[in-house]
């Protein structure tokens, strides 16, 4: 074993009930594990005669938050997709189709285990409970062999530790999907108004509108945040950078016309598709020197009909359950 990140791991499990740690059963290849537990201890302002230094620290709140990044693959990703969107409908018999739509996120907790090697090479389990996805980003570099990136911003309620009297769950054996295969920018096809649109960069951002950092005066777990309830309107936006082709997108933005959108990532029988209805925001084109003029647009997913008509994510893979 080494003392480097080579031996680190990340695994997930759905909790039932919320806030009760479940040994993770699904490990996913990761690029970054940044979920952390920190304490907001504060110094006492008390003064003692003849003393010039601090006399004590007051125990503060526990803050669990941080990013976890993965290369995006269809395999094993629908479970995280449910945390992003809220509702799922699974059909098929291999390949399976998981249709993710906006749905309730309250009380949907995840146990996250990060395996971190210490200097001796021993892998130490960092077990987080009551975790939820607050926001995130999917990034595609069009026409590139670079993998599509999924960056998720997590919040949680607690990290198991013996100082708080927890029985710290042991490290699970990391078992990875045999069908894991990240998408790349070469596998992406984007359409606007049912017409293919060639692009250089695509960035999808979402915010689940959760009320995070909710601490209450209570008899149990007073220093831990409560479940993050839904509070604000969810937002889903996409930024697209491309060459300047013609005035179609600009005129659409000026007219306020909404159109159908689709970004499809396909790798064999596996696929990941973001589809919906979008409103376009764009500025007029500027020219800088001899460069080929480019165009950037921001798309807002929305619908007066239903949330699902505004945005739906469809994952096709070999997993019978999300």
């Amino acid at each position: 074993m080494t003392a480097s990140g080579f031996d680190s791991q990340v695994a997930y499990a759905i909790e039932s009930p919320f806030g009760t740690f479940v040994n993770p059963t699904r490990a996913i290849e990761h690029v970054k594990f940044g979920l952390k537990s920190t304490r907001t201890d504060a110094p006492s302002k008390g003064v003692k005669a003849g003393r010039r230094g601090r006399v004590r620290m007051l125990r503060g709140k526990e803050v669990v938050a941080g990013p976890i990044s993965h290369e995006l693959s269809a395999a094993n990703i629908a479970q995280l997709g449910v945390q992003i969107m809220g509702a799922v409908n699974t059909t098929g018999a291999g390949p399976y189709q998981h249709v993710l739509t906006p749905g309730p996120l309250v009380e949907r907790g995840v146990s996250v285990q990060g395996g971190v090697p210490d200097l001796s090479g021993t892998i130490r389990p960092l077990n987080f409970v009551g975790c939820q996805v607050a926001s995130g980003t999917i990034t595609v570099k069009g026409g590139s062999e670079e993998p599509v990136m999924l960056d998720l911003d997590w919040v949680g309620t607690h990290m198991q530790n013996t100082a708080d009297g927890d029985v710290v769950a042991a490290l699970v054996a990391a078992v990875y999907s045999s069908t894991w295969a990240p998408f790349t920018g070469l596998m992406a096809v984007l359409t606007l108004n049912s017409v293919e649109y060639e692009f250089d960069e695509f960035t999808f951002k979402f915010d689940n509108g959760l009320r995070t950092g909710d601490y209450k005066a209570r008899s149990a777990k007073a220093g831990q945040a409560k479940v993050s309830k839904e509070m604000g309107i969810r937002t889903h936006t996409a930024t697209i950078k491309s060459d300047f082709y013609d005035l179609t997108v600009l005129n659409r933005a000026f007219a306020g016309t909404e159109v159908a959108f689709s970004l499809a990532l396909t790798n064999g029988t596996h696929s990941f598709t973001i589809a919906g209805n979008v409103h376009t925001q764009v500025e007029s084109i500027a020219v800088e020197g001899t460069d080929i003029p480019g165009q950037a647009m921001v798309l807002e997913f929305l619908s007066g009909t239903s949330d699902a008509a505004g945005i739906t994510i469809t994952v096709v893979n070999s997993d019978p359950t999300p």
Side-chain angles (χ1 to χ4, degrees):
M1 305 293 283
T2 69
S4 71
F6 295 128
D7 290 317
S8 62
Q9 63 185 59
V10 179
Y12 303 92
I14 303 300
E15 295 174 351
S16 182
F18 181 95
T20 300
F21 187 79
V22 177
N23 284 324
T25 55
R26 189 170 296 191
I28 299 180
E29 296 179 19
H30 67 286
V31 175
K32 177 181 180 179
F33 179 74
L35 184 59
K36 298 177 181 179
S37 171
T38 57
R39 298 279 184 175
T40 60
D41 294 349
S44 169
K45 296 179 181 179
V47 176
K48 282 186 174 182
R51 295 287 302 277
R52 289 168 175 76
R54 296 288 187 190
V55 296
R56 69 180 57 84
M57 293 291 290
L58 305 176
R59 187 170 174 80
K61 301 186 295 289
E62 179 183 12
V63 179
V64 175
I68 303 178
S69 300
H70 302 280
E71 294 173 343
L72 181 64
S73 167
N76 267 355
I77 213 67
Q79 183 186 75
L80 295 182
V82 177
Q83 311 310 313
I84 295 170
M85 297 293 285
V88 62
N89 181 48
T90 299
T91 59
Y96 299 89
Q97 179 175 272
H98 311 282
V99 179
L100 302 157
T101 54
L105 293 169
V106 176
E107 311 299 341
R108 188 185 297 280
V110 179
S111 292
V112 180
Q113 184 181 80
V116 180
D118 65 17
L119 194 59
S120 71
T122 303
I123 313 302
R124 305 295 184 179
L126 303 182
N127 300 325
F128 298 88
V129 300
C131 296
Q132 299 167 273
V133 175
S135 60
T137 304
I138 295 174
T139 307
V140 183
K141 294 187 176 180
S144 170
E145 66 279 4
E146 291 190 34
V148 177
M149 290 302 303
L150 172 65
D151 302 296
L152 299 178
D153 297 314
W154 289 84
V155 294
T157 61
H158 181 57
M159 187 187 84
Q160 291 183 335
N161 65 92
T162 55
D164 284 333
D166 300 322
V167 177
V168 179
L171 185 74
V172 300
V175 179
Y176 298 97
S177 170
S178 61
T179 60
W180 181 268
F183 297 108
T184 72
L186 296 173
M187 302 173 183
V189 176
L190 188 153
T191 61
L192 284 173
N193 201 26
S194 302
V195 177
E196 183 174 346
Y197 190 89
E198 297 181 1
F199 69 95
D200 297 308
E201 295 181 24
F202 171 85
T203 305
F204 172 75
K205 294 185 177 181
F206 69 91
D207 189 313
N208 281 330
L210 300 179
R211 182 179 68 175
T212 61
D214 185 19
Y215 298 87
K216 305 294 186 186
R218 50 180 177 157
S219 60
K221 302 179 180 179
Q224 297 178 20
K226 299 190 68 176
V227 57
S228 296
K229 301 283 189 179
E230 295 183 76
M231 180 181 69
I233 293 176
R234 296 187 203 176
T235 58
H236 304 89
T237 61
T239 301
I240 300 171
K241 294 182 179 180
S242 68
D243 290 332
F244 173 52
Y245 299 116
D246 54 35
L247 293 173
T248 301
V249 172
L250 189 62
N251 288 333
R252 183 182 298 148
F254 287 160
T257 305
E258 298 173 10
V259 298
F261 169 92
S262 172
L263 175 79
L265 299 163
T266 306
N267 189 359
T269 59
H270 287 193
S271 63
F272 183 97
T273 304
I274 303 172
N277 183 72
V278 295
H279 171 82
T280 307
Q281 301 178 60
V282 68
E283 297 179 349
S284 58
I285 309 305
V287 179
E288 297 183 11
T290 60
D291 287 347
I292 296 174
Q295 184 167 58
M297 71 182 90
V298 177
L299 307 178
E300 180 88 19
F301 291 81
L302 47 76
S303 172
T305 305
S306 68
D307 288 339
I311 184 167
T312 296
I313 296 177
T314 302
V315 181
V316 177
N317 59 24
S318 303
D319 304 329
T321 58

